[in-house]
Every structure is written in structure tokens, then in C-alpha cells.
Amino acid sequence: MKLLALDTSTAACSVALALGDATLERHEVQPKEHTRLLVPMIRELLARGGIAAEDLDAVVLGNGPGSFIGLRIGASVAQGICHAAGLELVAVSSLAAVAAEALQDSEATRVLVAQDAHMNEVYLGSYRRGEGDVPLAEGDIVLQSVAALEGLTRGDSGNRYAAGDGWRRYPDLLALNEHLFAGVAGVQWPRARYLLELGRRSYAAGEAIAPEALVPAYVRERVAA
């Protein structure tokens, strides 16, 4: 398949292009520079791959949750490409991309991803290792304040790792809950290359949508940039 994946939900501006078994990627941590970086990065990867947007099978979007402005930038660019090229869009959780990288880089059986939601809160998503090391969501993504997590014990889910920038952004959150984890993965931001396999599976499952049907996963309406 030929898939273009992008994520601008955090400080990272990330784009990846899958051409069969080959993957091209641009990934830069440049807070508040997504408007300047995103389209040139996409054009560069398409040029390096020797294809036009019309040659793609679909566009895979890291659909948050995350920065309200970042989500709007990624959504508008992804929708624009899909409309212009007559493509469908596949929306994938940005937190799942973090979990996918953490699972690949560690021995974790479960990953708890936290990303900064500002206002002393994080977006929290729990994932377990599925077939082919694909992260499988365990419940919905929620807003979590900096506090002890309820309903979790170290022994109830095996080898659980923490991942995502939320643990670094709020060190007290990690300190209050470090007994729950076997380790902390070094993954901070969603990387577009890890959206590709998730996007392939969603596309194969018939979950692609028309671009105008996209609903950004804000989790809450009032989100700081």
C-alpha cells in the first residue's frame, strides 16, 4: 500500500510515507512551527518517493488528543490532500502511535501513555501488546489530573511501562505512580512511521472515512495550544 501519515498533535511535526515495504520519514520536534514545516515535509517525501498524492491509497492522520491548534493544522492539511486527490482518510489515535513505539523498543506487555493536556492534566491512554506488537486500547482515553491513579496495581497487568511526554511534563504524576511501572519508555512524542501499521489495519478493516467526516479527538473542547 501507499500511505501518507502525519501527526502534529504535540511539539513534534512528523510525516511518514509507506511505499510497499519501504518507509520514508521526516520528524522534527519544533513547537509551534507546524504551519511552516508540515506541507514542505509532505512535498519532500512525495518527491523522494517519486509519487503524487493521487497515487496514494489513503492518508493516515494522528488524530490526537493533543494541542488544539496542532490538531487543527494536521486535520486541515490531511483533509485538503484527501479532497484534492480524491482519497479517504484514516484517523488513528496519536497516543496509540506512542504506545506502538514503546512496545517495539521495550519488553512491555502494557503501556500507559500520558500526554500534556495543560492545566495540570494529561491525556491518559492504556494499551496492551496485541498480535504483531500492535497496541490494543484498553478503554477510552481520559483526562487525568496530577494525582495517584485509581484502579491500577502493579500486579494486575504484568510488565507495564510509562510512555509519553506527560510523565516528564508532570514529574509529580510519575512520582505518585511509579510503583505501577516496570519501567519508563523513552518515547515522548507520536512519530508518524508508527501510525502507518495502525493505519493499514484500520483501512483493511473498512474504517477509512470521507475527509469531511473527520471529528478531531479533542477529548475536551477547551484545550490549551
Side-chain angles (χ1 to χ4, degrees):
M1 290 189 72
K2 298 182 180 70
L3 295 174
L4 176 71
L6 59 100
D7 195 298
T8 56
S9 65
T10 66
C13 186
S14 194
V15 182
L17 177 65
L19 301 173
D21 294 331
T23 300
L24 304 175
E25 179 187 33
R26 283 288 309 276
H27 180 86
E28 295 190 27
V29 179
Q30 295 270 12
K32 300 184 179 180
E33 293 292 325
H34 299 359
T35 300
R36 178 178 65 85
L37 292 172
L38 182 58
V39 173
M41 289 167 70
I42 292 170
R43 287 174 175 163
E44 176 191 332
L45 290 192
L46 291 174
R48 284 169 56 190
I51 67 169
E54 290 79 7
D55 300 319
L56 295 167
D57 292 296
V59 174
V60 182
L61 174 66
N63 196 38
S67 159
F68 180 84
I69 293 174
L71 289 178
R72 292 291 296 272
I73 292 169
S76 62
V77 171
Q79 288 173 311
I81 294 171
C82 289
H83 279 300
L87 302 172
E88 289 185 307
L89 189 149
V90 181
V92 176
S93 168
S94 298
L95 271 61
V98 173
E101 185 173 0
L103 288 169
Q104 178 173 298
D105 293 346
S106 73
E107 297 179 352
T109 55
R110 280 177 164 81
V111 177
L112 196 60
V113 181
Q115 292 290 50
D116 187 14
H118 300 276
M119 296 185 280
N120 221 42
E121 292 180 316
V122 296
Y123 301 113
L124 197 68
S126 181
Y127 300 87
R128 62 181 174 85
R129 188 185 294 270
E131 182 181 353
D133 295 336
V134 171
L136 300 177
E138 299 183 304
D140 296 329
I141 295 169
V142 299
L143 275 172
Q144 169 66 43
S145 62
V146 176
L149 302 179
E150 298 181 0
L152 291 177
T153 65
R154 173 68 181 275
D156 67 2
S157 60
N159 201 22
R160 183 195 292 121
Y161 273 56
D165 188 60
W167 304 105
R168 183 201 62 82
R169 175 68 177 82
Y170 299 107
D172 286 350
L173 179 66
L174 183 58
L176 288 166
N177 297 287
E178 60 185 352
H179 62 284
L180 299 174
F181 302 110
V184 179
V187 187
Q188 288 182 263
W189 317 115
R191 200 172 189 113
R193 69 182 300 119
Y194 293 96
L195 293 170
L196 291 170
E197 180 59 27
L198 296 170
R200 285 190 191 99
R201 290 174 180 252
S202 292
Y203 186 87
E207 296 171 356
I209 60 174
E212 62 271 17
L214 176 68
V215 178
Y218 294 128
V219 178
R220 67 178 173 203
E221 290 301 316
R222 187 165 65 95
V223 182

Short mmCIF file of all heavy atoms in Angstrom, two decimals, residues 130-181:
data_model
loop_
_atom_site.label_atom_id
_atom_site.label_comp_id
_atom_site.label_asym_id
_atom_site.label_seq_id
_atom_site.Cartn_x
_atom_site.Cartn_y
_atom_site.Cartn_z
N GLY A 130 -0.71 -6.41 21.34
CA GLY A 130 -1.53 -7.32 20.57
C GLY A 130 -0.71 -8.10 19.57
O GLY A 130 0.53 -8.06 19.57
N GLU A 131 -1.38 -8.82 18.70
CA GLU A 131 -0.70 -9.60 17.66
C GLU A 131 0.14 -8.69 16.79
O GLU A 131 -0.28 -7.61 16.39
CB GLU A 131 -1.75 -10.32 16.81
CG GLU A 131 -1.15 -11.21 15.73
CD GLU A 131 -2.22 -11.88 14.89
OE1 GLU A 131 -3.41 -11.77 15.24
OE2 GLU A 131 -1.85 -12.53 13.89
N GLY A 132 1.37 -9.13 16.51
CA GLY A 132 2.26 -8.31 15.72
C GLY A 132 2.75 -7.07 16.44
O GLY A 132 3.19 -6.11 15.81
N ASP A 133 2.67 -7.09 17.77
CA ASP A 133 3.10 -5.97 18.62
C ASP A 133 2.28 -4.72 18.40
O ASP A 133 2.70 -3.61 18.76
CB ASP A 133 4.59 -5.66 18.40
CG ASP A 133 5.49 -6.80 18.82
OD1 ASP A 133 5.06 -7.60 19.68
OD2 ASP A 133 6.61 -6.90 18.31
N VAL A 134 1.09 -4.85 17.83
CA VAL A 134 0.21 -3.70 17.63
C VAL A 134 -0.46 -3.37 18.96
O VAL A 134 -0.99 -4.26 19.64
CB VAL A 134 -0.84 -4.01 16.56
CG1 VAL A 134 -1.90 -2.91 16.49
CG2 VAL A 134 -0.17 -4.16 15.20
N PRO A 135 -0.47 -2.09 19.36
CA PRO A 135 -1.13 -1.73 20.63
C PRO A 135 -2.65 -1.81 20.52
O PRO A 135 -3.24 -1.31 19.57
CB PRO A 135 -0.68 -0.28 20.85
CG PRO A 135 -0.37 0.24 19.49
CD PRO A 135 0.16 -0.93 18.72
N LEU A 136 -3.26 -2.45 21.50
CA LEU A 136 -4.71 -2.56 21.57
C LEU A 136 -5.20 -1.72 22.74
O LEU A 136 -4.73 -1.89 23.87
CB LEU A 136 -5.13 -4.02 21.75
CG LEU A 136 -4.68 -4.99 20.64
CD1 LEU A 136 -5.10 -6.41 20.98
CD2 LEU A 136 -5.22 -4.57 19.29
N ALA A 137 -6.12 -0.82 22.47
CA ALA A 137 -6.61 0.10 23.50
C ALA A 137 -7.38 -0.65 24.57
O ALA A 137 -8.17 -1.56 24.28
CB ALA A 137 -7.48 1.18 22.87
N GLU A 138 -7.15 -0.26 25.81
CA GLU A 138 -7.90 -0.79 26.95
C GLU A 138 -8.74 0.35 27.52
O GLU A 138 -8.31 1.08 28.40
CB GLU A 138 -6.95 -1.34 28.00
CG GLU A 138 -6.09 -2.48 27.50
CD GLU A 138 -5.20 -3.06 28.59
OE1 GLU A 138 -4.43 -2.31 29.19
OE2 GLU A 138 -5.30 -4.29 28.82
N GLY A 139 -9.93 0.52 26.99
CA GLY A 139 -10.80 1.59 27.42
C GLY A 139 -10.55 2.88 26.65
O GLY A 139 -9.72 2.95 25.75
N ASP A 140 -11.28 3.92 27.01
CA ASP A 140 -11.20 5.21 26.34
C ASP A 140 -10.04 6.04 26.89
O ASP A 140 -9.58 5.85 28.01
CB ASP A 140 -12.49 5.99 26.54
CG ASP A 140 -13.69 5.32 25.90
OD1 ASP A 140 -13.50 4.64 24.87
OD2 ASP A 140 -14.81 5.47 26.43
N ILE A 141 -9.59 6.98 26.08
CA ILE A 141 -8.63 7.98 26.54
C ILE A 141 -9.36 8.95 27.46
O ILE A 141 -10.48 9.39 27.17
CB ILE A 141 -8.01 8.73 25.35
CG1 ILE A 141 -7.17 7.75 24.51
CG2 ILE A 141 -7.16 9.91 25.81
CD1 ILE A 141 -6.72 8.32 23.18
N VAL A 142 -8.73 9.28 28.59
CA VAL A 142 -9.37 10.12 29.60
C VAL A 142 -8.46 11.28 29.98
O VAL A 142 -7.24 11.25 29.74
CB VAL A 142 -9.74 9.31 30.86
CG1 VAL A 142 -10.72 8.20 30.51
CG2 VAL A 142 -8.48 8.74 31.52
N LEU A 143 -9.06 12.29 30.60
CA LEU A 143 -8.30 13.35 31.23
C LEU A 143 -7.97 12.93 32.65
O LEU A 143 -8.83 12.44 33.38
CB LEU A 143 -9.12 14.64 31.27
CG LEU A 143 -9.08 15.54 30.04
CD1 LEU A 143 -10.11 16.65 30.18
CD2 LEU A 143 -7.70 16.11 29.82
N GLN A 144 -6.71 13.10 33.02
CA GLN A 144 -6.26 12.68 34.35
C GLN A 144 -5.51 13.83 35.00
O GLN A 144 -4.59 14.40 34.41
CB GLN A 144 -5.33 11.46 34.23
CG GLN A 144 -4.59 11.08 35.49
CD GLN A 144 -5.51 10.60 36.58
OE1 GLN A 144 -6.43 9.83 36.33
NE2 GLN A 144 -5.25 11.02 37.81
N SER A 145 -5.89 14.18 36.20
CA SER A 145 -5.17 15.21 36.94
C SER A 145 -3.88 14.61 37.52
O SER A 145 -3.69 13.39 37.54
CB SER A 145 -6.04 15.77 38.06
OG SER A 145 -6.38 14.73 38.96
N VAL A 146 -2.99 15.48 37.98
CA VAL A 146 -1.76 15.02 38.61
C VAL A 146 -2.12 14.49 39.99
O VAL A 146 -2.26 15.24 40.97
CB VAL A 146 -0.74 16.16 38.70
CG1 VAL A 146 0.51 15.70 39.45
CG2 VAL A 146 -0.36 16.63 37.29
N ALA A 147 -2.31 13.17 40.06
CA ALA A 147 -2.75 12.51 41.29
C ALA A 147 -2.44 11.03 41.16
O ALA A 147 -2.03 10.55 40.11
CB ALA A 147 -4.26 12.72 41.49
N ALA A 148 -2.64 10.30 42.24
CA ALA A 148 -2.49 8.85 42.20
C ALA A 148 -3.58 8.26 41.32
O ALA A 148 -4.75 8.65 41.40
CB ALA A 148 -2.57 8.29 43.61
N LEU A 149 -3.20 7.32 40.47
CA LEU A 149 -4.16 6.69 39.57
C LEU A 149 -4.97 5.65 40.33
O LEU A 149 -4.40 4.84 41.08
CB LEU A 149 -3.43 6.04 38.40
CG LEU A 149 -2.57 6.97 37.54
CD1 LEU A 149 -1.89 6.18 36.43
CD2 LEU A 149 -3.40 8.09 36.96
N GLU A 150 -6.26 5.66 40.13
CA GLU A 150 -7.14 4.72 40.83
C GLU A 150 -7.40 3.49 39.97
O GLU A 150 -7.43 3.55 38.74
CB GLU A 150 -8.46 5.41 41.17
CG GLU A 150 -8.30 6.60 42.11
CD GLU A 150 -9.63 7.24 42.46
OE1 GLU A 150 -10.66 6.75 41.98
OE2 GLU A 150 -9.63 8.22 43.23
N GLY A 151 -7.61 2.38 40.62
CA GLY A 151 -8.00 1.16 39.92
C GLY A 151 -6.87 0.40 39.27
O GLY A 151 -7.10 -0.56 38.54
N LEU A 152 -5.60 0.82 39.50
CA LEU A 152 -4.47 0.12 38.91
C LEU A 152 -3.53 -0.36 40.01
O LEU A 152 -3.27 0.36 40.99
CB LEU A 152 -3.68 1.06 37.98
CG LEU A 152 -4.35 1.50 36.69
CD1 LEU A 152 -3.44 2.47 35.94
CD2 LEU A 152 -4.68 0.30 35.81
N THR A 153 -3.02 -1.58 39.84
CA THR A 153 -1.97 -2.09 40.72
C THR A 153 -0.86 -2.64 39.85
O THR A 153 -1.07 -2.96 38.68
CB THR A 153 -2.47 -3.20 41.65
OG1 THR A 153 -2.85 -4.34 40.85
CG2 THR A 153 -3.66 -2.74 42.48
N ARG A 154 0.33 -2.74 40.39
CA ARG A 154 1.48 -3.25 39.63
C ARG A 154 1.23 -4.67 39.14
O ARG A 154 1.59 -5.03 38.03
CB ARG A 154 2.73 -3.19 40.50
CG ARG A 154 3.97 -3.83 39.89
CD ARG A 154 4.49 -3.07 38.68
NE ARG A 154 5.64 -3.73 38.12
CZ ARG A 154 6.89 -3.56 38.55
NH1 ARG A 154 7.14 -2.75 39.56
NH2 ARG A 154 7.88 -4.20 37.97
N GLY A 155 0.56 -5.47 39.95
CA GLY A 155 0.43 -6.87 39.60
C GLY A 155 -0.70 -7.22 38.66
O GLY A 155 -0.76 -8.33 38.15
N ASP A 156 -1.61 -6.26 38.38
CA ASP A 156 -2.80 -6.66 37.63
C ASP A 156 -2.61 -6.67 36.13
O ASP A 156 -3.49 -7.09 35.41
CB ASP A 156 -4.00 -5.76 37.99
CG ASP A 156 -3.84 -4.31 37.54
OD1 ASP A 156 -2.83 -3.99 36.90
OD2 ASP A 156 -4.75 -3.52 37.83
N SER A 157 -1.47 -6.20 35.66
CA SER A 157 -1.32 -6.16 34.20
C SER A 157 0.09 -6.47 33.75
O SER A 157 0.50 -6.07 32.66
CB SER A 157 -1.75 -4.78 33.68
OG SER A 157 -0.94 -3.77 34.25
N GLY A 158 0.85 -7.16 34.57
CA GLY A 158 2.16 -7.60 34.13
C GLY A 158 3.16 -6.47 33.98
O GLY A 158 3.23 -5.57 34.81
N ASN A 159 3.89 -6.52 32.88
CA ASN A 159 5.04 -5.67 32.66
C ASN A 159 4.60 -4.34 32.04
O ASN A 159 4.70 -4.14 30.85
CB ASN A 159 6.01 -6.41 31.74
CG ASN A 159 7.41 -5.89 31.85
OD1 ASN A 159 7.78 -5.28 32.84
ND2 ASN A 159 8.18 -6.11 30.81
N ARG A 160 4.12 -3.41 32.85
CA ARG A 160 3.58 -2.14 32.35
C ARG A 160 4.67 -1.06 32.34
O ARG A 160 5.41 -0.90 33.30
CB ARG A 160 2.41 -1.69 33.23
CG ARG A 160 1.74 -0.41 32.74
CD ARG A 160 0.85 0.22 33.79
NE ARG A 160 -0.32 -0.59 34.09
CZ ARG A 160 -0.62 -1.07 35.28
NH1 ARG A 160 0.19 -0.86 36.30
NH2 ARG A 160 -1.71 -1.78 35.48
N TYR A 161 4.72 -0.32 31.23
CA TYR A 161 5.66 0.80 31.10
C TYR A 161 4.88 2.11 30.97
O TYR A 161 3.75 2.14 30.47
CB TYR A 161 6.54 0.63 29.86
CG TYR A 161 7.79 -0.19 30.09
CD1 TYR A 161 7.72 -1.48 30.61
CD2 TYR A 161 9.06 0.33 29.80
CE1 TYR A 161 8.87 -2.23 30.82
CE2 TYR A 161 10.21 -0.42 30.00
CZ TYR A 161 10.11 -1.70 30.51
OH TYR A 161 11.24 -2.45 30.72
N ALA A 162 5.51 3.18 31.41
CA ALA A 162 5.00 4.53 31.17
C ALA A 162 5.64 5.08 29.90
O ALA A 162 6.82 4.84 29.64
CB ALA A 162 5.33 5.43 32.36
N ALA A 163 4.86 5.82 29.11
CA ALA A 163 5.40 6.44 27.89
C ALA A 163 4.67 7.75 27.64
O ALA A 163 3.54 7.95 28.11
CB ALA A 163 5.25 5.50 26.69
N GLY A 164 5.30 8.62 26.88
CA GLY A 164 4.69 9.90 26.56
C GLY A 164 5.29 11.04 27.37
O GLY A 164 5.85 10.85 28.45
N ASP A 165 5.16 12.24 26.85
CA ASP A 165 5.79 13.40 27.47
C ASP A 165 5.08 13.86 28.73
O ASP A 165 5.65 14.64 29.51
CB ASP A 165 5.83 14.56 26.46
CG ASP A 165 6.65 15.73 26.96
OD1 ASP A 165 7.84 15.53 27.24
OD2 ASP A 165 6.09 16.84 27.11
N GLY A 166 3.85 13.41 28.96
CA GLY A 166 3.13 13.84 30.15
C GLY A 166 3.83 13.49 31.44
O GLY A 166 3.78 14.25 32.42
N TRP A 167 4.53 12.34 31.47
CA TRP A 167 5.25 11.93 32.68
C TRP A 167 6.43 12.85 32.94
O TRP A 167 6.75 13.12 34.10
CB TRP A 167 5.71 10.49 32.54
CG TRP A 167 4.60 9.53 32.24
CD1 TRP A 167 4.34 8.95 31.03
CD2 TRP A 167 3.60 9.06 33.14
NE1 TRP A 167 3.24 8.14 31.13
CE2 TRP A 167 2.76 8.18 32.41
CE3 TRP A 167 3.32 9.28 34.49
CZ2 TRP A 167 1.67 7.54 32.98
CZ3 TRP A 167 2.24 8.64 35.07
CH2 TRP A 167 1.44 7.78 34.33
N ARG A 168 7.07 13.34 31.88
CA ARG A 168 8.17 14.28 32.04
C ARG A 168 7.66 15.68 32.39
O ARG A 168 8.23 16.38 33.22
CB ARG A 168 8.99 14.35 30.74
CG ARG A 168 10.21 15.26 30.81
CD ARG A 168 10.67 15.69 29.43
NE ARG A 168 9.64 16.47 28.74
CZ ARG A 168 9.44 17.76 28.96
NH1 ARG A 168 10.18 18.43 29.82
NH2 ARG A 168 8.49 18.39 28.29
N ARG A 169 6.55 16.06 31.76
CA ARG A 169 5.99 17.38 31.99
C ARG A 169 5.51 17.53 33.42
O ARG A 169 5.60 18.61 34.02
CB ARG A 169 4.82 17.60 31.01
CG ARG A 169 4.06 18.91 31.20
CD ARG A 169 4.90 20.11 30.85
NE ARG A 169 4.13 21.33 30.98
CZ ARG A 169 3.91 21.97 32.13
NH1 ARG A 169 4.43 21.49 33.26
NH2 ARG A 169 3.20 23.08 32.16
N TYR A 170 4.96 16.46 33.98
CA TYR A 170 4.47 16.49 35.36
C TYR A 170 5.18 15.41 36.17
O TYR A 170 4.63 14.32 36.38
CB TYR A 170 2.95 16.28 35.38
CG TYR A 170 2.18 17.34 34.64
CD1 TYR A 170 1.59 17.06 33.41
CD2 TYR A 170 2.06 18.62 35.17
CE1 TYR A 170 0.88 18.04 32.73
CE2 TYR A 170 1.36 19.61 34.49
CZ TYR A 170 0.78 19.31 33.28
OH TYR A 170 0.09 20.29 32.61
N PRO A 171 6.38 15.68 36.65
CA PRO A 171 7.14 14.65 37.37
C PRO A 171 6.43 14.15 38.62
O PRO A 171 6.64 13.00 39.04
CB PRO A 171 8.47 15.35 37.71
CG PRO A 171 8.22 16.81 37.53
CD PRO A 171 7.15 16.93 36.49
N ASP A 172 5.58 14.98 39.22
CA ASP A 172 4.84 14.52 40.40
C ASP A 172 3.88 13.39 40.04
O ASP A 172 3.61 12.51 40.87
CB ASP A 172 4.05 15.68 41.02
CG ASP A 172 4.94 16.66 41.76
OD1 ASP A 172 6.13 16.35 41.96
OD2 ASP A 172 4.46 17.75 42.12
N LEU A 173 3.35 13.41 38.82
CA LEU A 173 2.45 12.35 38.38
C LEU A 173 3.18 11.02 38.34
O LEU A 173 2.65 9.99 38.78
CB LEU A 173 1.88 12.68 36.99
CG LEU A 173 0.92 11.66 36.39
CD1 LEU A 173 -0.35 11.55 37.21
CD2 LEU A 173 0.58 12.03 34.94
N LEU A 174 4.42 11.04 37.84
CA LEU A 174 5.21 9.81 37.82
C LEU A 174 5.61 9.40 39.23
O LEU A 174 5.54 8.21 39.58
CB LEU A 174 6.45 10.01 36.96
CG LEU A 174 7.35 8.78 36.79
CD1 LEU A 174 6.58 7.61 36.18
CD2 LEU A 174 8.56 9.11 35.94
N ALA A 175 6.00 10.36 40.04
CA ALA A 175 6.42 10.03 41.41
C ALA A 175 5.29 9.38 42.20
O ALA A 175 5.51 8.45 42.98
CB ALA A 175 6.90 11.30 42.12
N LEU A 176 4.06 9.85 42.00
CA LEU A 176 2.91 9.31 42.72
C LEU A 176 2.53 7.91 42.24
O LEU A 176 1.84 7.17 42.96
CB LEU A 176 1.71 10.24 42.56
CG LEU A 176 1.78 11.56 43.33
CD1 LEU A 176 0.70 12.52 42.82
CD2 LEU A 176 1.60 11.31 44.83
N ASN A 177 2.96 7.55 41.03
CA ASN A 177 2.50 6.30 40.42
C ASN A 177 3.62 5.38 39.96
O ASN A 177 3.36 4.38 39.30
CB ASN A 177 1.59 6.63 39.22
CG ASN A 177 0.34 7.38 39.63
OD1 ASN A 177 -0.57 6.80 40.20
ND2 ASN A 177 0.30 8.68 39.34
N GLU A 178 4.86 5.68 40.32
CA GLU A 178 5.98 4.91 39.80
C GLU A 178 5.94 3.44 40.23
O GLU A 178 6.50 2.57 39.54
CB GLU A 178 7.31 5.54 40.20
CG GLU A 178 7.53 5.65 41.69
CD GLU A 178 8.82 6.40 42.01
OE1 GLU A 178 9.58 6.69 41.07
OE2 GLU A 178 9.05 6.70 43.19
N HIS A 179 5.23 3.15 41.33
CA HIS A 179 5.11 1.76 41.78
C HIS A 179 4.29 0.90 40.81
O HIS A 179 4.32 -0.33 40.90
CB HIS A 179 4.45 1.72 43.16
CG HIS A 179 3.06 2.26 43.18
ND1 HIS A 179 2.79 3.62 43.14
CD2 HIS A 179 1.84 1.64 43.23
CE1 HIS A 179 1.48 3.80 43.17
NE2 HIS A 179 0.89 2.63 43.22
N LEU A 180 3.58 1.55 39.88
CA LEU A 180 2.75 0.81 38.92
C LEU A 180 3.54 0.29 37.74
O LEU A 180 3.04 -0.54 36.97
CB LEU A 180 1.63 1.71 38.40
CG LEU A 180 0.63 2.27 39.41
CD1 LEU A 180 -0.31 3.25 38.72
CD2 LEU A 180 -0.15 1.14 40.06
N PHE A 181 4.78 0.77 37.57
CA PHE A 181 5.50 0.53 36.32
C PHE A 181 6.76 -0.30 36.51
O PHE A 181 7.48 -0.16 37.50
CB PHE A 181 5.88 1.88 35.68
CG PHE A 181 4.70 2.76 35.41
CD1 PHE A 181 4.49 3.93 36.13
CD2 PHE A 181 3.78 2.42 34.43
CE1 PHE A 181 3.40 4.74 35.88
CE2 PHE A 181 2.68 3.22 34.17
CZ PHE A 181 2.49 4.37 34.90
#
